[in-house]
Amino acid sequence: MLKEFSCPKDLYNLTKSYFSKRKVTLCSNSKQIEREASKGYPQGSCIGPEFRNIQYNALRNLDFGKRTKAIAFADNFLIAVKAETAKEAENFANIEISKITKWAENNKITFNEQKSKVMVITRRKRRGKTDVSIYLNNSPLEQVNSIKYLGVILDSKLNFREHLISTSKKCTTLIHTLAKSAKLHWGLQQGALNTIYKGAILPLLSYAAPVWIRAMEKHYNRTLYTRVQRLINIKIAKYFRTTSNEALCILTGNAPVIIKAEEAANIYRTTKDKKKNKPATRPRKRPERLDSPGRYSRYMRFQ
């Protein structure tokens, strides 16, 4: 694999020596067991993540079809296949997974079929057959209606309703726990509660906002987040429960959570567009050699 990246010979030999003649020792009381390690890299090593990235790059650079996109992050690997029908998607996915299985066998890697899931994403209103049979290691993969990927719950319609409900429940539980220590005349005061809200609750609510921000166009989704913010605002302001959310936002000095989520999404889009449209920087021209005082004074005068 290193030869494919044109690795220098000395670094290749060093890496080969690093992975050869390795042993794993387990000591327990008076017993000591040794086994040879023929695959994997030491956990916690400085160079371990680099070897993993090299290996994952080889997986991402497989000869996938035009309708397939491979996405890798840390130890998560996602295959997205685009097709007109469920049967067509099933055929394409099985072809791509067969390539991955063959690559895994050649690199002494085994993918866990129990942790791997399949989900069909479609927004077609007409009801059709969406059951597919995808196989990994000759075992059928479980088909689900929603899947959690990098902390975001993706559903089969991509309306992100389940993600918003899950996040709201998580934040509500946290707020009710804080409420035990934030009473009207004792406990956590406004400053401490505000810090907890901005440092713990708001990041949870706005996590991955650029992905699901369009779901906030629906009134019932906006209501979910508004209710959560209203709960913590009542505890911060220590006002009556009948106080409106708009008034509570003014009293606590916290902007509505919907606006904060939209702000996070806009910042991401602006940053992404700047990187995409950033002009290529020209290399700086080296100054001429200054061998004589005359040339030095001329260089200073024109600069």
Side-chain angles (χ1 to χ4, degrees):
M1 191 176 295
L2 290 174
K3 289 181 179 179
E4 296 176 1
F5 289 95
S6 302
C7 179
K9 189 175 181 180
D10 53 347
L11 292 179
Y12 176 81
N13 292 331
L14 178 63
T15 306
K16 187 177 179 181
S17 174
Y18 177 75
F19 282 107
S20 62
K21 297 180 181 180
R22 293 186 299 159
K23 293 183 179 180
V24 179
T25 304
L26 175 63
C27 299
S28 176
N29 296 332
S30 60
K31 292 186 178 181
Q32 183 173 331
I33 303 173
E34 283 190 359
R35 293 287 187 273
E36 289 189 2
S38 59
K39 58 183 179 179
Y41 50 84
Q43 295 291 326
S45 61
C46 297
I47 203 171
E50 300 299 329
F51 287 132
R52 183 187 63 192
N53 290 339
I54 292 172
Q55 195 171 44
Y56 252 52
N57 279 336
L59 176 58
R60 289 181 64 251
N61 294 331
L62 287 178
D63 187 21
F64 292 118
K66 294 181 179 180
R67 294 172 173 262
T68 304
K69 185 172 183 179
I71 303 171
F73 184 86
D75 58 346
N76 295 298
F77 192 75
L78 184 143
I79 290 289
V81 178
K82 184 179 180 180
E84 296 296 330
T85 62
K87 194 65 179 179
E88 190 177 347
E90 177 184 320
N91 294 334
F92 287 148
N94 280 318
I95 291 172
E96 305 299 6
I97 289 182
S98 64
K99 297 176 184 177
I100 295 173
T101 305
K102 186 177 180 180
W103 177 88
E105 290 176 358
N106 295 334
N107 290 274
K108 299 181 180 180
I109 295 176
T110 304
F111 290 101
N112 191 345
E113 62 272 7
Q114 301 297 327
K115 294 183 178 180
S116 302
K117 308 294 179 184
V118 175
M119 184 175 68
V120 177
I121 300 175
T122 177
R123 288 183 173 178
R124 290 181 178 177
K125 293 183 179 180
R126 65 170 183 238
R127 293 185 178 181
K129 184 182 178 182
T130 57
D131 296 335
V132 293
S133 299
I134 311 296
Y135 293 87
L136 176 64
N137 300 331
N138 297 323
S139 300
L141 299 180
E142 180 186 358
Q143 185 173 350
V144 295
N145 292 323
S146 62
I147 188 171
K148 192 172 185 179
Y149 183 70
L150 300 180
V152 179
I153 300 176
L154 307 173
D155 53 80
S156 57
K157 297 293 183 181
L158 282 185
N159 54 25
F160 298 100
R161 175 71 173 170
E162 290 189 34
H163 173 76
L164 298 176
I165 292 174
S166 175
T167 306
S168 300
K169 287 182 178 179
K170 190 184 299 182
C171 292
T172 302
T173 303
L174 179 58
I175 292 169
H176 286 323
T177 305
L178 286 172
K180 298 176 183 178
S181 303
K183 300 300 181 179
L184 186 60
H185 299 293
W186 61 272
L188 296 173
Q189 297 301 312
Q190 183 177 6
L193 288 172
N194 227 334
T195 302
I196 294 172
Y197 167 72
K198 293 179 179 179
I201 298 174
L202 184 59
L204 280 175
L205 292 172
S206 59
Y207 174 73
V211 178
W212 48 258
I213 192 61
R214 292 185 64 182
M216 284 300 170
E217 295 174 2
K218 304 293 184 181
H219 177 71
Y220 49 80
N221 289 334
R222 299 170 71 94
T223 304
L224 279 174
Y225 271 28
T226 303
R227 286 174 180 172
V228 174
Q229 188 182 28
R230 189 171 184 280
L231 283 175
I232 188 63
N233 278 345
I234 289 173
K235 296 301 176 183
I236 295 174
K238 298 187 184 297
Y239 265 67
F240 298 106
R241 294 182 180 181
T242 54
T243 310
S244 65
N245 184 61
E246 291 78 7
L248 288 170
C249 288
I250 295 173
L251 292 169
T252 57
N254 295 324
V257 66
I258 309 300
I259 294 178
K260 297 298 289 184
E262 291 174 350
E263 180 185 2
N266 291 333
I267 290 173
Y268 170 79
R269 292 195 194 100
T270 304
T271 306
K272 186 178 180 180
D273 292 341
K274 281 184 178 179
K275 289 182 179 179
K276 188 183 296 184
N277 302 325
K278 186 177 180 181
T281 56
R282 296 181 179 179
R284 303 184 75 179
K285 190 176 180 180
R286 292 184 62 185
E288 56 182 339
R289 285 190 62 186
L290 307 176
D291 297 330
S292 63
R295 296 182 67 181
Y296 177 75
S297 61
R298 185 169 66 254
Y299 174 76
M300 293 297 292
R301 190 182 307 121
F302 285 102
Q303 292 297 320

